[in-house]
Amino acid sequence: MSIKLLILGLLMEGEKHPYEVQQLVKQRGIDCYIKIAKGSLYYAFDQLAKASLIEVANIIRESNRPDKTTYRITDKGKEELQQLLLTEMRRPIQLHNPIYAALTFAAYGDPAKMEEASAENMREVQRVAELLESILEEPKQALDFGARNILIGAIEHLRAEARWIERVRQEGFGH
């Protein structure tokens, strides 16, 4: 997911400050499948504003605090969002996982250390799956169609990956 798509999509829900977007990314578990540095988010807001895809909605001035600028999506931004959605929906699945490179040459690794590393990987995969399940089950979390289905898909993918890693571990390393 591009940061442009993320920002424009979240602004369709209403006016937001970049920090609010950052918080929503965490609350909805989006940070599990897209990495956003705080600085890049503010930069992206600036670039989208320069391109007239978003505009300043409000500037909140409080004493002893920096101004807080909220943004809204423009009609041009809504058109861009539609194009981004279609582009992403048509994009074929990407099969890349850092573990693939390691498995290619696993026979050259120390079997005990490879076992330990794969066990650690499996624990992390299970931890993330459980985190996403907790977000999905949270009663106060009103997830829309997209967010709910992304979480369900990610959970199913992680559970399948955990089964696959276990199968790899059962075969043993270096055999």
Side-chain angles (χ1 to χ4, degrees), residues 13-156:
E13 298 173 4
E15 300 172 1
K16 290 181 182 40
H17 180 271
Y19 181 76
E20 290 176 86
V21 168
Q22 186 178 25
Q23 293 307 110
L24 284 171
V25 166
K26 288 180 186 174
Q27 289 171 357
R28 296 181 185 180
I30 297 170
D31 58 338
C32 291
Y33 55 90
I34 182 172
K35 301 298 179 209
I36 301 173
K38 184 178 179 182
S40 67
L41 187 65
Y42 283 86
Y43 177 77
F45 266 84
D46 287 342
Q47 295 304 303
L48 291 171
K50 285 179 185 175
S52 301
L53 300 176
I54 64 173
E55 63 189 9
V56 172
N58 195 10
I59 299 175
I60 301 165
R61 292 181 169 85
E62 297 176 5
S63 60
N64 302 329
R65 299 195 73 155
D67 292 349
K68 180 179 174 182
T69 305
T70 58
Y71 295 86
R72 70 175 149 249
I73 191 168
T74 63
D75 288 341
K76 183 178 176 183
K78 290 175 184 177
E79 290 172 18
E80 179 70 12
L81 174 65
Q82 291 304 309
Q83 289 307 306
L84 289 169
L85 288 170
L86 294 173
T87 298
E88 292 300 316
M89 288 298 288
R90 291 180 177 127
R91 189 179 306 272
I93 191 164
Q94 303 288 313
L95 292 176
H96 52 84
N97 184 327
I99 199 172
Y100 295 165
L103 283 174
T104 301
F105 303 106
Y108 303 121
D110 177 312
K113 290 181 181 177
M114 295 294 288
E115 169 64 27
E116 182 183 320
S118 66
E120 187 178 313
N121 186 306
M122 182 183 273
R123 284 191 297 274
E124 180 61 12
V125 166
Q126 291 171 332
R127 184 193 70 77
V128 173
E130 290 167 6
L131 169 70
L132 296 181
E133 285 172 339
S134 73
I135 292 169
L136 189 61
E137 294 168 0
E138 185 71 31
K140 66 180 179 188
Q141 192 69 270
L143 299 173
D144 65 17
F145 171 83
R148 186 172 43 80
N149 281 289
I150 289 168
L151 283 175
I152 291 168
I155 292 163
E156 289 177 1

